[in-house]
Amino acid sequence: MFDFSPPLIDWMTIAPLIAVALTGLIALMVEVMMPKRTNGGIIGVSLVGLAVAGGLLINNLSMPNSETFSGMALRDHFGTLLQLLLVVTCGLSILFSEGYLREKRIPFGEFYPLLLWSTMGAMIMCMTRNLLMLFLGVEVLSISLYVLAGMSRSEERSEESAMKYFLLGAFASAFLLFGISFVYGATGTLQLASISEAWTSGGISSQALLLFGFGLIMVGLSFKSGFVPFHQWTPDVYQGAPTNVTAFMAVGSKVAAIAAVWRVFEGFQIMSDYWIPIMSWVAILTMSVGNLIALLQKDVKRILGYSSIAHAGYILVAILAHYKNPQAVGFNTVFYYLLSYALMTLGSFAVISLTAHSGREGTMLSDLNGMWKRAPFAAASLIVFMASLVGIPPTSGFVGKFLIFSDALQAGLTPLAMVLAVNSIISVYYYVGIAHATVVAEEKRPGKSGRPTFGLNSTCLLCTVGVFGAAIFYSPLMNFLQGR
Amino acid sequence: MQGVPLFAYIALALFMFTVGTVGVIIRRNPIVIFMCVELMLNAVNLTFLAFARYMPAMALQHNAAQRAQSQMAGQMMVIFVMAVAAAEVAVGLGIIMAIYRLRENIDIDELNLLKG
């Protein structure tokens, strides 16, 4: 009488996710079992778990696209590549964290499990077209990051940034959810794929519901990805949070938010006549405001915060180019730019974390003075990252910007391409300022800074190699992205 | 269908959401701000439940099973929203506690170290 057959589940799709979550749990167990003196065991476990997850993802890359769990988990090329990027980001952040946490006198082992779970949330956002899963991914990512941002409990700046991040994050989630509820009202499901059917077959009322819902969802996601006019929290939170957390926040949560924006645009593609003009203005504002305010800043972490806003604007141009002309422009540009953004931003924050010394940390430009003498390798790699952020060949930042520029022209978004070019020129000023403070400027009094650890040097080395490698091996990489 | 129309629920939800948004913007105490966010989340829950009950997207559901599945999706979403809100409260109050320990004052106008 009770006829129920369990649905077939493709476990390989979510295996990387499970690997990361389990690694977090095991790392927490290791923290409980081991004496407090060293976090080496936790780091080892975390890196091994991330390597397993990475292996599973590479295996997934060669498998066909599919959906499982009634359309809640999705395996496609774009999502899998972004998940791989997130796993790499998490690994690189873990590598340089230990030395920084020791210098800052906050050597809590809980950092590593929380970072892993945050990565898991970001991965969920990349692998779903279901609005419930999207919401859960956002929350898993954000709740872990709220805790991490306030990890330096005795420091008022850190607590203040955690509070700001928390209040604005919860506020943004409410907008996202309200939008989802209206989309649900119009379609009767939580699947993004059902929107186009509801738009064509529904009447004027369901079209109104969809437009309203889309607007609210985009407000929520703009908060998360730092698009103007919802960007104000970004520099404050980036400045106050511990630098290794900032590094992950700037890269991991931005990659995940961009993935979510991509998926939502994909679902709402049928209405693109309505939103492409509005989002183009958002892109113009995001690029210009980010770069112009960055010119006035004196704090390195704030500068990089505004620079991350500007880069979000560049990526939005690439996304819009795809949805303006989906046949001609693929996802390669977005992925390539995210990859190069991840490497150069993570590397820059890793080098800046060297200013922490005996529980104190200065992040003003003048605190970088003399870095050249104290940590020559790290300082040299910072120059490379700055060159890449500006977009000087032969770095991946140049190739990425060039790709976005040509995509925008190809899709007929010439004004956006022009604004991008102008903004790249404006941004030279503040990036050169950072490089100048590191190498040229004399220190007024002999400064102190942390000793670069092996982990930090390897993060810098890997990021530098990546920044050059992605540019030099551009065509094999592109072939790989297209699945050839 | 008899009783309160769908429009009334949506209007109430919109009103609650607006009150919550205005509250977040004008209030200065983080606990009150957080209560306003909770009000916004309750507006969301009300919207989901009203849509699940009245199903304005009836044209897309071709049979009773599909309709039941649709209703379930909205009601499940409400459960998840409540669970996530509870987790957020735990973390948020923890952060507020940490700030209170540092400075014995949680007014957000006094949180002005980060600017520029």
Side-chain angles (χ1 to χ4, degrees):
Chain A
M1 61 177 276
F2 195 71
D3 189 18
F4 177 75
S5 58
L8 278 175
I9 291 172
D10 178 10
W11 290 102
M12 280 315 286
T13 306
I14 61 161
L17 209 61
I18 296 175
V20 173
L22 273 181
T23 309
L25 283 176
I26 296 169
L28 198 63
M29 286 299 135
V30 173
E31 153 79 9
V32 175
M33 307 293 181
M34 300 261 282
K36 269 279 177 197
R37 282 217 314 254
T38 168
N39 287 332
I42 306 176
I43 297 170
V45 167
S46 310
L47 289 178
V48 169
L50 285 171
V52 170
L56 288 166
L57 283 167
I58 290 174
N59 180 34
N60 269 357
L61 271 180
S62 55
M63 290 160 112
N65 294 357
S66 71
E67 283 195 340
T68 184
F69 286 104
S70 351
M72 282 187 162
L74 166 79
R75 178 176 60 214
D76 67 350
H77 217 61
F78 180 67
T80 312
L81 281 170
L82 285 184
Q83 288 182 65
L84 200 56
L85 178 59
L86 285 167
V87 166
V88 170
T89 303
C90 182
L92 288 174
S93 315
I94 285 176
L95 264 182
F96 82 88
S97 284
E98 187 57 17
Y100 173 76
L101 293 177
R102 295 249 162 243
E103 283 295 350
K104 193 132 166 118
R105 305 274 156 83
I106 42 171
F108 304 129
E110 294 89 341
F111 169 78
Y112 301 97
L114 281 169
L115 196 71
L116 287 165
W117 292 328
S118 190
T119 309
M120 188 188 92
M123 286 164 72
I124 296 176
M125 287 167 78
C126 298
M127 57 173 290
T128 185
R129 279 199 193 116
N130 183 289
L131 289 166
L132 170 58
M133 292 308 289
L134 178 70
F135 164 66
L136 286 179
V138 169
E139 291 301 320
V140 172
L141 167 72
S142 312
I143 292 180
S144 317
L145 279 179
Y146 302 152
V147 181
L148 288 175
M151 198 174 61
S152 181
R153 284 201 302 266
S154 58
E155 197 187 11
E156 282 191 23
R157 290 200 312 173
S158 172
E159 294 308 310
E160 181 179 331
S161 87
M163 168 90 97
K164 281 183 175 163
Y165 193 30
F166 165 70
L167 287 177
L168 282 170
F171 189 55
S173 301
F175 275 96
L176 177 69
L177 275 173
F178 207 43
I180 294 177
S181 75
F182 282 100
V183 172
Y184 169 71
T187 62
T189 71
L190 294 167
Q191 300 286 1
L192 282 168
S194 61
I195 288 170
S196 57
E197 194 194 347
W199 178 263
T200 42
S201 70
I204 184 89
S205 62
S206 63
Q207 295 194 349
L209 283 178
L210 280 175
L211 277 176
F212 191 55
F214 175 74
L216 287 169
I217 289 180
M218 279 321 294
V219 170
L221 288 181
S222 297
F223 265 109
K224 298 287 175 197
S225 28
F227 294 153
V228 175
F230 307 105
H231 66 289
Q232 281 96 345
W233 62 272
T234 320
D236 284 2
V237 173
Y238 283 15
Q239 186 190 355
T243 307
N244 52 352
V245 179
T246 310
F248 182 76
M249 210 185 272
V251 177
S253 96
K254 189 137 302 186
V255 169
I258 296 289
V261 168
W262 178 275
R263 300 278 191 217
V264 168
F265 279 1
E266 191 181 28
F268 284 90
Q269 198 166 12
I270 193 157
M271 303 151 50
S272 63
D273 287 348
Y274 291 87
W275 53 258
I276 282 191
I278 301 171
M279 293 314 289
S280 302
W281 277 107
V282 171
I284 290 176
L285 280 175
T286 308
M287 289 186 281
S288 314
V289 170
N291 275 321
L292 288 176
I293 304 184
L295 294 178
L296 308 172
Q297 302 301 320
K298 295 275 172 279
D299 185 298
V300 188
K301 279 162 89 179
R302 279 189 92 81
I303 296 179
L304 287 177
Y306 281 110
S307 122
S308 87
I309 296 173
H311 284 276
Y314 303 155
I315 299 170
L316 184 57
V317 173
I319 299 177
L320 288 175
H322 169 74
Y323 286 108
K324 182 93 177 175
N325 194 349
Q327 279 81 38
V329 182
F331 70 78
N332 297 344
T333 307
V334 175
F335 178 77
Y336 188 89
Y337 202 83
L338 280 174
L339 171 73
S340 98
Y341 169 80
L343 292 171
M344 55 207 189
T345 307
L346 202 76
S348 315
F349 278 115
V351 177
I352 288 164
S353 78
L354 272 177
T355 55
H357 180 69
S358 336
R360 260 190 289 269
E361 181 182 18
T363 53
M364 305 305 282
L365 276 174
S366 55
D367 290 304
L368 287 178
N369 295 355
M371 177 80 83
W372 184 247
K373 287 174 198 141
R374 292 192 297 266
F377 176 67
S381 54
L382 185 64
I383 306 299
V384 173
F385 304 138
M386 288 305 133
S388 182
L389 283 163
V390 173
I392 298 173
T395 56
S396 60
F398 167 75
V399 180
K401 262 183 195 158
F402 180 77
L403 285 175
I404 295 182
F405 190 79
S406 64
D407 274 6
L409 288 182
Q410 203 177 354
L413 294 169
T414 320
L416 289 183
M418 293 303 144
V419 175
L420 192 153
V422 171
N423 269 295
S424 302
I425 296 165
I426 298 175
S427 72
V428 172
Y429 176 79
Y430 58 86
Y431 291 131
V432 168
I434 295 182
H436 179 267
T438 316
V439 181
V440 182
E442 288 293 322
E443 42 190 339
K444 297 196 177 62
R445 50 194 155 67
K448 284 179 182 166
S449 65
R451 191 169 293 281
T453 58
F454 171 72
L456 188 125
N457 277 337
S458 27
T459 303
C460 291
L461 180 68
L462 288 172
C463 288
T464 314
V465 168
V467 162
F468 284 126
I472 293 165
F473 299 105
Y474 165 73
S475 42
L477 186 67
M478 275 295 156
N479 288 339
F480 175 68
L481 291 187
Q482 277 147 1
R484 262 180 260 146
Chain B
M1 208 176 278
Q2 299 290 311
V4 184
L6 173 63
F7 172 73
Y9 285 111
I10 304 303
L12 177 63
L14 278 170
F15 174 71
M16 275 164 67
F17 195 84
T18 316
V19 171
T21 312
V22 172
V24 169
I25 293 166
I26 65 170
R27 297 305 295 260
R28 302 271 61 107
N29 184 317
I31 297 182
V32 178
I33 293 179
F34 195 61
M35 283 162 64
C36 292
V37 171
E38 292 290 314
L39 193 62
M40 293 163 80
L41 292 181
N42 282 334
V44 169
N45 286 345
L46 183 62
T47 322
F48 269 116
L49 290 178
F51 279 138
R53 179 77 182 76
Y54 287 82
M55 263 301 124
M58 204 78 89
L60 296 174
Q61 272 90 50
H62 306 296
N63 54 46
Q66 257 179 337
R67 201 168 308 148
Q69 208 175 17
S70 270
Q71 293 195 329
M72 193 59 91
Q75 289 165 0
M76 280 314 295
M77 187 82 192
V78 173
I79 305 271
F80 275 101
V81 173
M82 286 196 220
V84 166
E88 268 187 350
V89 171
V91 169
L93 291 184
I95 293 171
I96 294 173
M97 278 283 288
I99 290 192
Y100 184 76
R101 275 199 200 150
L102 277 182
R103 50 199 300 167
E104 312 228 317
N105 178 8
I106 52 172
D107 194 296
I108 57 166
D109 281 338
E110 317 254 319
L111 292 178
N112 49 13
L113 290 169
L114 304 173
K115 59 179 179 228

